[in-house]
Amino acid sequence: MMNASVENPSVTHLERLGVELGGRDYRTRLLVPAGEASQRPSLEVTNPLAAVLTDTIVVDGEASWWSWGDRIGPTADVPGAATKVCSVLRFDGRSST
């Protein structure tokens, strides 16, 4: 079986981002739709301290994007993208009540 990242540079970037985030104790899951040309690969990222802090990241070839459409950063800067993801999905332990 051929590795999906060989065929798709977006998958390669998402794999690298997943490794970087995993090293920062975030859970990641790479989602590669089989046979669905209309669906893009994505990376689901979860803060293990608060599972509600989860989002999906996609790539357009030049940049990583949040599920709501905001740009995270260029694909060339994986550590920078990981830092931004961690800052958005961080859990500080404070209660809102």
Side-chain angles (χ1 to χ4, degrees), residues 1-95:
M1 183 166 122
M2 185 177 280
N3 185 340
S5 64
V6 172
E7 298 175 22
N8 190 329
S10 294
V11 172
T12 300
H13 172 71
L14 292 170
E15 287 174 335
R16 290 180 181 153
L17 183 56
V19 168
E20 183 74 26
L21 289 164
R24 299 179 189 204
D25 297 325
Y26 281 75
R27 290 190 207 127
T28 63
R29 183 171 63 141
L30 182 62
L31 305 169
V32 181
E36 293 291 328
S38 64
Q39 294 183 351
R40 295 190 286 181
S42 59
L43 184 69
E44 182 181 87
V45 182
T46 301
N47 183 325
L49 299 176
V52 69
L53 297 173
T54 297
D55 199 45
T56 303
I57 296 167
V58 295
V59 175
D60 70 2
E62 295 183 19
S64 301
W65 298 85
W66 292 106
S67 63
W68 61 84
D70 283 357
R71 188 175 189 268
I72 296 171
T75 56
D77 185 11
V78 174
T83 296
K84 190 165 187 180
V85 170
C86 291
S87 71
V88 171
L89 299 182
R90 75 180 178 277
F91 176 69
D92 65 10
R94 292 184 285 182
S95 174

